[in-house]
Amino acid sequence: MDRRRPATGDTNADGSTDRALVRGLVNLLVAILLVCSLALGTALFAPQFIDGIDIGEQPSPSPEPPPAGERNPAVADPGDPRSSSYETDVEVVRSATVEDFVHAKINDRRAVHDLPPLEWDGTVASVARAHSADMARRDYFAHRNPDGEAPADRFQDVANYCQGYGENIAKTWLGRRVSQADDDDGIVRHRTAEGLATGLVNQWMNSTPHRRAILEEGRTPGWDRAGVGVYIADNGAVYAGQNFCQEW
């Protein structure tokens, strides 16, 4: 049996040199890969800003909302501005679009509680919209206006077919950061019609008296119909109302 041993001396020394060279190349390659992976991590996770705006927060434009109902009723409030809008960096937010979204989202919340959808009433919406515009123009925020008129009074000045009448109102802003308790960090920035509508509905649902009006809890009547009236001021201030009606 051939029991020859591997050659030693220079041949063995040359093999060690080769292995050392290979280890050096491997270490260099690992170092290069480590540097590249750190650079990639920075690109993926570092905040990105353009002119102070976090591009990661850019919302998508609103889809088309489900149409709520009649926009030009035979009987309307003389103070109804009909429409208003404000342009954000995402889209032109139109009051009618916000109203459609709010009406749909409120009915979605009612469905969760096994309540029937509220029928849209153009006249009720017109009275609500006129009050929203009046609050903006006369700089107040209340159910009772400076003339002492309550919600039912304002509706009866226009029409008289609701034996029960209710009103939820809200105020917020477009394009500005505003505090809102339902958001994770307490800060929201409404920039789309759908986002604004979601914020308005959340404001009402997170307030006990407003929630009771929507879900007909406590002594709240069983509503037959409702209308949403939104007014958007030139400075981005938003006044909104949802008014409810129980017919005779």
Side-chain angles (χ1 to χ4, degrees):
M1 181 179 290
D2 188 357
R3 296 182 179 276
R4 298 175 196 170
R5 296 184 178 181
T8 60
D10 291 343
T11 302
N12 190 40
D14 289 343
S16 298
T17 300
D18 291 340
R19 286 195 295 274
L21 179 60
V22 170
R23 284 197 299 271
L25 290 173
V26 169
N27 290 338
L28 178 60
L29 180 60
V30 169
I32 292 172
L33 289 174
L34 179 60
V35 171
C36 290
S37 66
L38 289 175
L40 179 60
T42 301
L44 289 175
F45 298 110
Q48 298 181 22
F49 295 91
I50 297 178
D51 292 332
I53 297 175
D54 186 352
I55 63 175
E57 295 180 356
Q58 185 82 356
S60 300
S62 301
E64 286 296 319
E70 176 60 56
R71 288 283 161 192
N72 298 297
V75 180
D77 193 308
D80 182 358
R82 301 288 181 176
S83 64
S84 54
S85 63
Y86 183 85
E87 185 172 3
T88 71
D89 58 343
V90 178
E91 67 183 31
V92 176
V93 178
R94 305 185 190 282
S95 58
T97 306
V98 180
E99 292 166 359
D100 285 347
F101 274 124
V102 170
H103 184 73
K105 291 176 184 295
I106 288 292
N107 279 337
D108 288 344
R109 300 297 184 97
R110 286 173 58 88
V112 172
H113 294 267
D114 298 321
L115 292 171
L118 292 167
E119 180 183 345
W120 175 270
D121 187 300
T123 299
V124 172
S126 178
V127 175
R129 198 177 301 116
H131 182 56
S132 294
D134 186 57
M135 287 191 290
R137 290 167 181 165
R138 293 204 275 178
D139 192 23
Y140 71 96
F141 181 66
H143 292 288
R144 191 174 293 274
N145 66 22
D147 302 321
E149 291 182 319
D153 299 324
R154 291 191 293 273
F155 183 78
Q156 289 173 357
D157 288 344
V158 176
N160 188 23
Y161 55 83
C162 297
Q163 62 173 323
Y165 196 81
E167 178 181 81
N168 280 347
I169 58 174
K171 181 182 178 181
T172 189
W173 294 84
L174 276 167
R176 298 189 185 184
R177 296 184 184 276
V178 295
S179 61
Q180 190 157 307
D182 61 283
D183 192 72
D184 290 339
D185 60 4
I187 302 294
V188 295
R189 185 181 176 205
H190 303 307
R191 298 154 73 185
T192 66
E194 185 176 24
L196 173 58
T198 299
L200 291 170
V201 173
N202 286 343
Q203 282 183 247
W204 286 330
M205 292 299 293
N206 290 326
S207 166
T208 299
H210 298 86
R211 176 188 171 92
R212 285 177 177 170
I214 292 169
L215 301 182
E216 301 175 8
E217 297 174 341
R219 296 185 178 181
T220 305
W223 307 121
D224 301 307
R225 53 190 61 243
V228 180
V230 172
Y231 182 78
I232 307 172
D234 292 341
N235 62 355
V238 178
Y239 293 81
Q242 183 178 34
N243 290 25
F244 308 91
C245 172
Q246 182 188 52
E247 292 185 290
W248 289 101

